[in-house]
Amino acid sequence: MKIIGKKSLSLYVSYVLFIIFFVCAVHFLYTIIGHSILTYKFKTGSQIFSQTFILNNDVGWTQNKWTIPMKDLLKFRINYPFTDLQVSTGVFGSTQIIYNIIGMLFVTLFFYFSYRSFKEMSSDKIFNPNAIKWLQRFGYLNLIFGILSLVEGIGYHKITTSSFFQFFFLVFLGSMVLFIVAFFRKGYELQSENDLTI
């Protein structure tokens, strides 16, 4: 089986990536809805969806050295509908809400751009403007979120080993993809010249 081109492995990979993107997009929308409902509950004191969107000081965290200092803070927990399975939890506040939404946005876009890139590489002409466009967007996405993760760590004065490796990985991945974009551009130019001479 071919890796790229029509009826190739890249086509089947694009199908898998689309399914992952769809699941992430649903989670992203559910996260926005969940935080909107929690904000409404916080402002009005409402108790709607009290088993799914929990907003109080006790959200079921175990007592340990990380949670004990936060025992008096208002916490939230978002569960999957009609279950006790947790989607998200944390200390309720605008910083946590923004962090959750931006994180899910990145994951959703990551898989969408991956899906589109692999889909374009499974066409008859591998070197095409759409493949270049989606690969370039994928590269820039990783660079932007890599830099944002470093800025976020600097802003909170907590650059940890994991946040540094996250920054390094995303910037490295984004840079590699942009090198691949340059390769695809050159291939597209040669393919176009070849088509003109024929």
Side-chain angles (χ1 to χ4, degrees), residues 4-6 120-132 182-198:
I4 53 177
K6 202 167 187 179
E120 293 303 331
M121 286 187 280
S122 63
S123 66
D124 283 334
K125 291 189 175 183
I126 299 161
F127 300 114
N128 64 68
N130 285 333
I132 294 167
F183 170 75
F184 265 69
R185 273 206 182 99
K186 190 65 175 172
Y188 178 67
E189 288 171 13
L190 293 171
Q191 181 177 280
S192 300
E193 288 171 13
N194 189 36
D195 289 346
L196 287 173
T197 53
I198 291 172

Side-chain angles (χ1 to χ4, degrees), residues 131-186:
I132 294 167
K133 175 177 76 174
W134 287 106
L135 279 169
Q136 188 171 23
R137 288 178 181 177
F138 182 67
Y140 285 138
L141 175 77
N142 285 286
L143 285 175
I144 289 167
F145 276 90
I147 292 167
L148 283 177
S149 70
L150 184 67
V151 168
E152 185 257 341
I154 292 169
Y156 288 109
H157 306 290
K158 58 174 186 180
I159 296 182
T160 61
T161 306
S162 63
S163 65
F164 177 75
F165 279 114
Q166 179 181 348
F167 160 75
F168 178 76
F169 174 76
L170 290 175
V171 169
F172 178 75
L173 180 62
S175 301
M176 286 299 294
V177 170
L178 292 178
F179 276 106
I180 293 169
V181 166
F183 170 75
F184 265 69
R185 273 206 182 99
K186 190 65 175 172

Side-chain angles (χ1 to χ4, degrees), residues 19-37 53 78 80-81 87-88 96-112 141 145:
I19 292 167
I20 296 170
F21 153 71
F22 181 78
V23 170
C24 290
V26 169
H27 269 80
F28 175 61
L29 291 174
Y30 189 68
T31 299
I32 291 173
I33 291 167
H35 283 298
S36 300
I37 291 172
F53 305 104
I78 301 173
Y80 288 104
V87 175
S88 180
Q96 184 70 50
I97 293 169
I98 292 167
Y99 186 79
N100 287 353
I101 289 173
I102 288 176
M104 278 308 302
L105 175 65
F106 168 70
V107 172
T108 303
L109 290 176
F110 182 91
F111 284 108
Y112 181 70
L141 175 77
F145 276 90

Side-chain angles (χ1 to χ4, degrees), residues 74-91:
L74 184 63
K75 299 174 220 42
F76 74 91
R77 178 177 168 143
I78 301 173
N79 291 336
Y80 288 104
F82 313 111
T83 70
D84 285 335
L85 293 174
Q86 172 184 305
V87 175
S88 180
T89 188
V91 174

